[in-house]
Amino acid sequence: MRQKTKTKSIEKHLSHWGITFVLPSIVFFSLFNFYPILNALYTSFFKKKVLSLAAPEFVGLKNYIYLLTSANFWNSIRATAVFTIGTFLPLLLASLIFAVFITSIKRGNKFYQMAFYSPAVLSSVVSAAIWLLIFDPRGLGNQWVNNLLGTHGTDHNWLADAMMVQLSTMIVYFWKYIGYFIIIFIAGLASIPKSLYEAARIDGTSGWQEFWRITLPLLKPTIVLVSIMSMLQCLKTFGIQYLFTQSGAPQDPINVITMNIYNTGIRDHRIGRASAMSIILFIIMLVFTWIQFKSSKSDEVEY
Amino acid sequence: MKKILCALAIVALIAVSPVFAGGQQEKEDGPITITFWTHEDPNRTEIEERYIAEFEASHPNITVERVTQSSTKIQELVLTAFAANQGPDIFNMSIEDEYAYIVNGRVAPVDAEAAGYSSTSSLVGSYLEGSLDPVTLDGKVYGLPLELTNWSLYINKKVFKDAGLNPDTDYPKTWEEVAEVSEKLVIRDGDIVTRRGFDFRYPYYLVSMVPMVEQLGGQLISDDGKKAIVGDEAWLSFLEYMQMWGPNGNNLGSPTYKNARKLFNKDNNDIAMAMTGLYQQGRIRADNQEFYDSGEWMVVPFPVFENAVNDTAACYYGHYYMVNGQKSAAQQKASWEFIGYMLSHGEEYLKTVNIIQPTTELLESETYKNMPYSDVFSADMERGHVVYFGEESAKLQELIKGAVESVMLSGVAPQKALATLRAEAQELLDDM
């Protein structure tokens, strides 16, 4: 009994140190994450102008009702959904394929890792600036595609056409973030014990079978992680769309929720309505994350 | 333990919140530091740094900290700073962005005596009639103009000659001629335009496109302020013109091509005509002295439609120096003293930066009259009026942008674009 008490006391003592070490992070996280979320929730129930010194008017759920009946907001939901589906699925699939390819080659895999990862270190502003030059009517985008398709002199309207501008934002995002997810997949692949492959080879499996029966099931936690991270990032996309519209691209096709929040809050000064939009986006992200977690827990594999 | 952690987190939040919420007020009798936020302009920086040094030498207890921001970013930086009650002492932006600060009581009225005038009426009397109207509310003046700008049409004579046109006689006087002349000047590689005749300044719809509608008899807002998008025929004709201009029409230009005003200075056979202000001359000189000295450019009046019912030129807009009303009385007084000192150098601003401070003294000076094409700008200013300013002007501009882009780029019919524009603008107006 005495021994048990002593052990518990040591555990308690150690846990105090653990808490001490994580406390700065908790405070930091509370200050910069929880507080803004709670503040946005509170503000979303008010009609509040950024510059007004008058007390904001309590409007209850009016901001939410306005948004849910607003064609402009539903267009933002559509733009965000199109961008997320059009970007996160190809990102997930391509980064997995490239990661498997890079780990399977004997020479030059460090070079490939670096080459794929390098766009991820650029800021969105720099990335957009590079691609704005490429998508300029006289830029490389038209030249490459026209050379490839033999359609000399055709302007593919990368930034002007409603469909093309959506595709253009997806291309930039894909280019920028694929390296980041490849690195995560490579780390996941490295954690799978080599002995499993050796045993499988002794049993006469083919490379294809190894991938489907060993790699993919054991990589599942990494796939879930990458899919959640990439989906959340896509839902929060802002910089590329903002910079494209600043450079003359039409806004409606790429008016994603975050850009609508920015324009409503900063340009139009309606911070209450912008807060309601951010709460809706937060709920959307929470629901999708929960669904992904739930669906991934149904058939977990251990080794 | 979880409870303790939560409690600690809340305590920490409360403990640090004053750090974020607090502002610093200078002591009334102590040294004063003035923060001055303005947009980037290298020519202005040079002279204003000198004004600061001179002002600090004559006011030893005042320090001026000048901070420059990108002209596209300053609006949100000033806004977020004011939202946190941490705005600068002095700032300047375009009146469309500044007006909300006046109506929300964020800025202080001009201290005429500190700014170097005997009274407010003498201050008002020294400026061009009407130029202080946008910053006047309930009889009080809330800003002093750094510049009042209007746009006319700059022409590169070399490009005209290259296309077999005589710039002195063939320059366009009407919007129909702008399109006709542009068709003669444009060079295309298939669908891709490699040289444009003219192109619009797309982000500035209130300044340059609303006057086009007004020429045709339309209005942005009715005189009583209750109805938005007045005069369907005028708006439709304007939208049809823009549809014709874009890549799905005659393919003469598009918002996605490089900014025509910036390309103009390069004189590299990219653009023949661009719409911009007198300040462009300073920029041409800084970017391309050879072109500036060549005499191969000229300025002609803002065009009108052939069937125009109003002879309206581009709107003029102002950048006004304003002072943060949340600062102490001593800081406000020092700020107006410094603004007054800077603005007492109107002629140097005109000669060095090519910006016009609309004082009657400057506009009647030989310096202004001798500036190339200042007569064209003066005449166009008389034909124009101040740009629409109001709390919702940025949103209104965005709605017009949406309508123009939808007909130019997305193949939307002008009637449908107009209906959408009218509905959204009216909703905005009703909500004001």
Side-chain angles (χ1 to χ4, degrees), chain A residues 12 15-16 19 22-23 26-27 30-32 35 47 49-53 66 72 133 136-138 142 146 152-155 157 159-162 242 245-253 262-263 265-270 273, chain B residues 1 5 8-9 12-13 16 20 72-73 75-76 79-80 82-83 85 97 100-101 104-106 189-195 247-248 254-258 263 270 326 391-392 394-395 398 401 405 409-410 424 427-428 431-432:
Chain A
K12 205 173 175 182
S15 74
H16 280 157
I19 289 159
V22 298
L23 195 61
I26 291 171
V27 171
S30 305
L31 192 63
F32 291 103
Y35 173 68
K47 184 178 183 180
K49 293 276 186 101
V50 176
L51 285 176
S52 176
L53 292 168
Y66 173 85
N72 177 273
L133 289 174
D136 184 273
R138 288 187 284 176
N142 277 339
N146 286 339
H152 179 79
T154 304
D155 185 357
N157 290 314
L159 297 174
D161 181 77
Y242 175 74
T245 52
Q246 293 291 304
S247 303
Q251 183 175 287
D252 273 3
Y262 171 84
N263 284 333
I266 302 296
R267 186 196 62 201
D268 307 339
H269 300 183
R270 296 171 192 276
R273 195 176 285 171
Chain B
M1 185 50 71
L5 275 177
L8 279 170
L13 275 175
V16 296
F20 295 90
T72 53
K73 277 279 161 200
Q75 296 82 0
E76 70 180 71
L79 182 76
T80 44
F82 268 92
N85 296 320
D97 299 310
Y101 292 80
N104 285 298
R106 291 293 195 145
D189 175 15
D191 301 335
I192 300 166
V193 178
T194 55
R195 180 175 83 184
N248 297 322
S254 158
T256 55
Y257 280 97
K258 277 182 191 149
L263 280 179
D270 265 341
Q326 291 177 301
E391 271 199 276
E392 307 289 345
K395 176 75 176 170
E398 188 59 42
K401 177 179 185 279
E405 282 172 357
L409 308 174
S410 306
E424 289 180 342
E427 184 194 328
L428 187 69
D431 197 31
M432 277 161 82

Side-chain angles (χ1 to χ4, degrees), chain B residues 362-382:
Chain B
L362 183 70
L363 293 174
E364 284 165 11
S365 70
E366 287 303 308
T367 310
Y368 177 69
K369 286 177 182 164
N370 292 335
M371 295 291 292
Y373 302 105
S374 60
D375 55 331
V376 177
F377 286 101
S378 290
D380 267 2
M381 194 173 275
E382 277 181 30

